[in-house]
Amino acid sequence: MEQTFRWFGPDDVVRLPHIRQAGATGIVTALHHIPYGVVWSINEIEKRKRLIADAGLGLEWRVVESLPVHEAIKSGDGDLDPLFANYRQSLRNLAHCGITTVCYNFMPVLDWTRTELSAPLPGGASALRFNAHEYAAFDCFMLERTGAEREHTPEILARATAWFDASSESARSRLLANIMAGLPGAYERYDVPGLKAALARYHGIGKAELRQNFMRFLAAVIPTAEEVGINMCVHPDDPPRPLFGLPRIISNAEDIALILDAASSRSNGFTLCSGSLGAGADNDVPAIAGRFAERIHFAHLRNVAKESDGSFMEADHLGGDTDMVAVVTILLREQKRRLEEGRRDWRIPMRPDHGHELLDDVGKLTHPGYPMIGRLKGLAELRGVMMAVAALERLPL
């Protein structure tokens, strides 16, 4: 697999030389400064490519993460033809510049969601964490969403009430900031009234309606992606459950099958995120990887440790509940199949997703979940698994 690293651009605290030192050869990035729905011009794409190439480190921009889907497309609101046209033009421009793997998501309003960004680990390290009772406290007592109490168990509601009653204004503000932190590309952070307004735009939109809007998006863009040789790869929901009354439509194997069947083109693929899917109590990540291996165009490899109440913690890359050796083995076997098929793009780009805050990264202003050292550690561990599996099974790396 091609070893890549996410980079948030020239303002990222993590620098390109750091990424090269980690042993990665591919860069995963996006033009975050361009507003959603606006065309990514060839000039802007080439500017970012030159920035990476001019570092002289042998790094290449290999994956776009993300080419964002405008919120109006997700909600199905208004005349969407101009937005579809702009998205198609961005795909054409990316293909013109030689970038042919595009990761995106269809999560309404929020991206990945955690309630704690610095959950303590032994020795002073920290991890991202989702606490079910803090999420319920925010949902029921800060958002004051109608009917929210019915969506939480009595046990979680009791803990949520206790947390809220004991919390200070600063603790509540921190919880809001933590929930907003999963929007690294948008840089748009809501306050509580703003989040309420954003959620209101989805009033009356359930899972069926959101799925219908997604199918409309696929019908509008996949033919162009196929025409120009772009592999689109949708990212699973994180966490794979409804949030704040918003439906989620890419949370399990059934959801993925429906999406891939909606457009049988190879250009309609998905990103295997072992952590996002792994947070679902009923998701068997190796089984999902094996079932849909032919349509995996990109892999986020990370792990989570789940708890019975729906809480979970970001674990070590080779720890947690998902058998990472099994996942890597499936991906390497799929690479071999593609190579034997004669495909030039037989290698699957992967990146170590999220990482613990360790050592000198503690306290640095890195993007939440994306400290350098924790991801370097994860990549080294995953590289070891890849090399061992490849040697044992005589599989190409």
Side-chain angles (χ1 to χ4, degrees):
M1 284 182 281
E2 183 174 12
Q3 298 170 43
T4 68
F5 224 77
R6 191 170 190 182
W7 183 56
F8 290 96
D11 295 330
D12 198 338
V13 173
V14 174
R15 303 302 186 190
L16 292 172
H18 302 157
I19 293 172
R20 189 65 188 90
Q21 290 173 39
T25 58
I27 294 296
V28 177
T29 192
L31 304 181
H32 297 307
H33 60 287
I34 297 179
Y36 287 14
V38 176
V39 172
W40 288 15
S41 69
I42 289 175
N43 180 62
E44 288 290 338
I45 296 166
E46 289 290 354
K47 182 179 177 181
R48 179 59 57 89
K49 282 188 66 178
R50 285 194 302 272
L51 185 63
I52 295 167
D54 288 351
L57 301 167
L59 298 170
E60 293 185 45
W61 186 2
R62 301 295 295 156
V63 180
V64 170
E65 187 178 348
S66 297
L67 180 58
V69 179
H70 195 279
E71 207 66 31
I73 293 175
K74 298 176 187 178
S75 63
D77 184 30
D79 179 11
L80 301 181
D81 288 342
L83 291 173
F84 289 143
N86 286 355
Y87 204 98
R88 289 191 292 263
Q89 190 58 52
S90 293
L91 293 179
R92 294 188 187 100
N93 293 346
L94 285 165
H96 176 86
C97 297
I99 303 168
T100 57
T101 302
V102 174
C103 176
Y104 68 103
N105 75 71
F106 214 80
M107 290 180 265
V109 181
L110 299 171
D111 205 310
W112 60 264
T113 302
R114 303 291 184 273
T115 63
E116 196 171 355
L117 304 183
S118 298
L121 296 170
S126 66
L128 302 179
R129 181 176 171 84
F130 182 91
N131 291 313
H133 71 283
E134 290 181 343
Y135 162 70
F138 185 87
D139 192 21
C140 298
F141 309 128
M142 292 177 64
L143 270 184
E144 300 177 310
R145 184 172 62 87
T146 302
E149 291 85 355
R150 295 193 296 270
E151 299 178 13
H152 305 282
T153 67
E155 293 78 15
I156 290 176
L157 273 178
R159 292 175 60 203
T161 301
W163 181 92
F164 184 77
D165 289 345
S167 64
S168 62
E169 283 300 320
S170 63
R172 296 173 190 176
S173 296
R174 184 167 58 250
L175 178 58
L176 171 64
N178 291 349
I179 289 172
M180 291 298 105
L183 294 167
Y187 294 110
E188 180 182 3
R189 303 294 183 260
Y190 301 108
D191 56 13
V192 169
L195 182 56
K196 285 183 176 180
L199 296 174
R201 292 198 294 267
Y202 283 85
H203 180 72
I205 297 177
K207 187 168 185 176
E209 290 79 14
L210 185 63
R211 182 175 283 154
Q212 184 178 17
N213 293 342
F214 186 37
M215 299 306 178
R216 183 180 176 185
F217 169 76
L218 292 178
V221 304
I222 291 300
T224 298
E226 187 171 24
E227 173 191 336
V228 299
I230 291 275
N231 285 328
M232 300 282 290
C233 38
V234 67
H235 189 284
D237 303 323
D238 185 10
R241 53 167 291 174
L243 290 177
F244 307 124
L246 297 169
R248 299 282 198 159
I249 58 169
I250 312 166
S251 294
N252 52 43
E254 178 187 359
D255 291 340
I256 294 168
L258 285 169
I259 288 160
L260 298 184
D261 288 346
S264 59
S265 168
R266 193 173 80 190
S267 291
N268 178 32
F270 87 106
T271 297
L272 178 73
C273 183
S274 56
S276 298
L277 292 168
D282 298 325
N283 284 339
D284 183 333
V285 179
I288 290 173
R291 178 176 174 183
F292 304 109
E294 292 186 16
R295 305 282 279 279
I296 295 172
H297 299 319
F298 185 31
H300 292 176
L301 299 183
R302 63 178 172 88
N303 225 319
V304 297
K306 298 186 291 293
E307 299 170 19
S308 59
D309 68 351
S311 301
F312 60 89
M313 171 102 78
E314 302 270 4
D316 289 326
H317 286 77
L318 301 187
D321 299 331
T322 294
D323 184 345
M324 195 63 70
V325 175
V327 171
V328 169
T329 300
I330 289 165
L331 295 175
L332 289 176
R333 288 173 178 169
E334 171 60 17
Q335 282 196 155
K336 181 182 179 183
R337 187 197 67 79
R338 296 180 188 187
L339 181 62
E340 292 173 344
E341 195 179 65
R343 285 175 53 175
R344 295 180 63 182
D345 62 341
W346 59 273
R347 297 184 75 203
I348 299 171
M350 59 75 67
R351 68 171 177 83
D353 195 17
H354 295 180
H356 292 165
E357 195 174 66
L358 307 172
L359 304 173
D360 291 347
D361 274 342
V362 174
K364 284 186 179 177
L365 297 177
T366 53
H367 288 276
Y370 291 93
M372 180 65 215
I373 298 171
R375 288 185 292 158
L376 180 152
K377 176 176 177 281
L379 181 58
E381 292 173 345
L382 293 165
R383 183 186 299 126
V385 171
M386 289 162 52
M387 294 185 70
V389 171
L392 285 171
E393 297 205 9
R394 298 182 181 181
L395 297 169
L397 281 171

